[in-house]
Amino acid sequence: MYPTRPRSSLRTAVVWEVLRAALARRAEELDRPVLDVLDTGGGTGNFAVPVARLGHRVTVVDPSPDALFALERRAAEAGVTDLVRGLQGDTQTLPELIDPASVDAVFCHGVLEVVDDPAEALGQLAATLRKGGMVSLLAANRNGAVLARAIAGHFAEAQGLLEHPAGSPDGPAAPPRRFTVEELRALADAAGLQVASVHGVRIFADLVPGVLVDTEPGAVDALLALERAAAEQSAFHTVATQLHVLAELR
């Protein structure tokens, strides 16, 4: 089971498989089959609904009322309305929405790129965890963005991003913010988290022409197998579109 359709699963499969295994381990460690999961910025439930289908309780905190409405509809279609709760808010309002030390796992996917202060945001998320709880961080990779722009022929843009990763010093910062593995490790450490694993996500999927994947028989499965095989190899982390870090509260 993947959170999205087969073609789109090229972008999510590695993260989903890591999360599913990690949740199963945590449930076994606690001898408690139902975990409390917080998905911040979880939007329409791309991960929240599949996690609820595993039997866990999921709270999605997202600033968009439209996304939360779609989440509610999606949860109803999947038959997990009783396990999914949507709350409007963000990392700054999180203390008002979620009790400290009340959840077993936190998903922080595509959030650190857009918050005002990534360190503060991650600290707020870590504060919601019970002892030994885990955080799933998914963030845009700076080096992968440089490579993608160069391959697309946008050489000046690639150089600009390489030299000024936070944006041009003569203009506004260019969203979204991007990270290296070392920066994500440092943020996790500052939040009291111990990194358990790092995976490269969308190492090849965003570089292979879509027409090739869509028309060649078996191409999706073969590319997905390649993504899985390369995800844990650190040599490929520098070129991945995204970085996935799994960390635990010390």
Side-chain angles (χ1 to χ4, degrees), residues 163-223:
E163 295 176 350
H164 306 290
S168 170
D170 300 321
R177 188 184 289 108
R178 300 172 179 88
F179 300 88
T180 63
V181 172
E182 293 74 21
E183 288 169 342
L184 291 176
R185 284 185 178 275
L187 285 169
D189 184 66
L193 301 167
Q194 177 68 45
V195 173
S197 66
V198 179
H199 293 83
V201 179
R202 292 157 60 184
I203 298 169
F204 309 106
D206 290 352
L207 303 178
V208 176
V211 64
L212 175 63
V213 179
D214 292 334
T215 59
E216 288 291 326
V220 172
D221 290 338
L223 184 52

Side-chain angles (χ1 to χ4, degrees), residues 67-88:
L68 293 176
F69 178 77
L71 167 70
E72 183 179 353
R73 184 176 62 233
R74 193 172 190 171
E77 291 172 352
V80 292
T81 301
D82 57 328
L83 292 174
V84 176
R85 176 178 61 148
L87 299 174
Q88 188 173 0

